[in-house]
Amino acid sequence: MTTRRTSLPGVGTQYDISTRAGRHISVVVHLDGRRFIGFYDPEDPDVCRATVPMDPDEAAAFARLVSPEDATPDLGTGDLDLDLVTERIPVSTHSPYRSRPLGATRARTRTGASIVAVLRRTGAIPAPGPDFRLEAGDTLVVVGTREGVDDLVQIISGA
C-alpha cells in the first residue's frame, strides 16, 4: 500500500491510498473536521466515481471499524449476543488433514464451525475453498460456537 499526502490550501489535506490490489481511495480531511472518502475507477485511476461525506463523529466510527487494532468494534447496534468465538487452530505434522484438501475435514458439516481463513508462512488466505490443501504449519482461523470450535480442534489435531 502506498499513501501520498497533498496539502489543499484553505481546504485541508488529501490522502491518496493505493492498495496492493491496485485500487485507489482518497480521504480529504477538511479544516473543519469533515471528511470525504473518494473511490476511484479501477480502469482509470484519475476518475473519482463516488464520494462519501462524513461528519467528524461518523469518520471516527468508520475508523474504529476498519482499524485492525480494534478486534471488537462498537457497531452501534446494541448487544448482538451471538455466542460465537473466533480461534486459531494450528495444523501440526501429526494432523490427519496435513497435505489433504480443506474439504476433507467437513468442518462445517461436522461441527457447525467455519474456517474463514488460513494463515500460512507466506501470508493469509481468506475464505479458502474446499480444494485448498492444508500443510503442516498452517493456522486455521475459525468461527463458531465454543462447542463447535472445540470439536474442530479435536478433528484437526486427530485426537
Side-chain angles (χ1 to χ4, degrees):
M1 182 183 96
T2 58
T3 304
R4 184 182 67 201
R5 178 181 175 189
T6 305
S7 181
L8 304 173
V11 176
T13 304
Q14 179 171 338
Y15 298 90
D16 291 294
I17 302 161
S18 297
T19 68
R20 288 186 195 104
R23 298 301 306 264
H24 177 194
I25 303 168
S26 71
V27 177
V28 176
V29 179
H30 287 252
L31 296 174
D32 64 0
R34 293 176 299 136
R35 269 78 167 150
F36 284 80
I37 299 175
F39 300 93
Y40 289 80
D41 186 339
E43 301 300 320
D44 185 355
D46 293 329
V47 176
C48 185
R49 289 290 184 197
T51 60
V52 177
M54 294 183 179
D55 288 334
D57 62 321
E58 295 170 320
F62 181 77
R64 284 192 304 270
L65 289 173
V66 298
S67 173
E69 278 73 39
D70 189 358
T72 55
D74 179 9
L75 300 176
T77 56
D79 186 6
L80 297 176
D81 196 24
L82 295 176
D83 197 26
L84 295 176
V85 296
T86 302
E87 196 161 306
R88 295 177 180 204
I89 302 174
V91 178
S92 74
T93 56
H94 303 294
S95 172
Y97 297 100
R98 178 181 56 89
S99 301
R100 293 182 62 194
L102 181 62
T105 66
R106 298 180 51 239
R108 194 171 333 156
T109 301
R110 295 167 72 186
T111 68
S114 295
I115 299 170
V116 297
V118 175
L119 306 177
R120 185 167 276 176
R121 183 174 41 88
T122 55
I125 298 96
D131 296 332
F132 181 84
R133 192 165 292 278
L134 297 173
E135 298 297 335
D138 286 348
T139 299
L140 310 179
V141 179
V142 300
V143 176
T145 63
R146 175 79 269 156
E147 296 80 20
V149 170
D150 288 346
D151 289 347
L152 189 52
V153 168
Q154 299 298 313
I155 290 169
I156 295 300
S157 69

